[in-house]
Amino acid sequence: MSCSIVSLSRCAYYYQPKLLDDSVIVSVLNAITDRHLRWGFPKCFNRIRKLGSYQ
């Protein structure tokens, strides 16, 4: 009843986000930045996407 008073669905009230394990992405990003010190985030991000580690 309180959810309907504030126009909030019960599903949204009880929603629990699923946290992903980013350890693989962190390790790949660290390996890329160790090899290519001057690369910025966009270039590293594109490289990780091409490697297939970011899905």
Side-chain angles (χ1 to χ4, degrees), residues 21-35 48 51 53-54:
D21 182 26
D22 293 335
S23 61
V24 174
I25 297 170
V26 170
S27 64
V28 171
L29 184 59
N30 284 332
I32 289 173
T33 55
D34 286 342
R35 276 187 261 135
I48 291 172
L51 292 174
S53 299
Y54 185 75

Side-chain angles (χ1 to χ4, degrees), residues 5-55:
I5 291 172
V6 294
S7 301
L8 181 70
S9 70
R10 287 178 26 195
C11 295
Y13 179 76
Y14 288 109
Y15 175 75
Q16 294 291 324
K18 297 176 181 127
L19 302 176
L20 300 175
D21 182 26
D22 293 335
S23 61
V24 174
I25 297 170
V26 170
S27 64
V28 171
L29 184 59
N30 284 332
I32 289 173
T33 55
D34 286 342
R35 276 187 261 135
H36 307 282
L37 299 175
R38 296 181 60 129
W39 282 12
F41 176 76
K43 194 161 190 168
C44 291
F45 179 77
N46 289 334
R47 181 66 176 161
I48 291 172
R49 299 263 332 246
K50 284 182 183 178
L51 292 174
S53 299
Y54 185 75
Q55 295 178 356

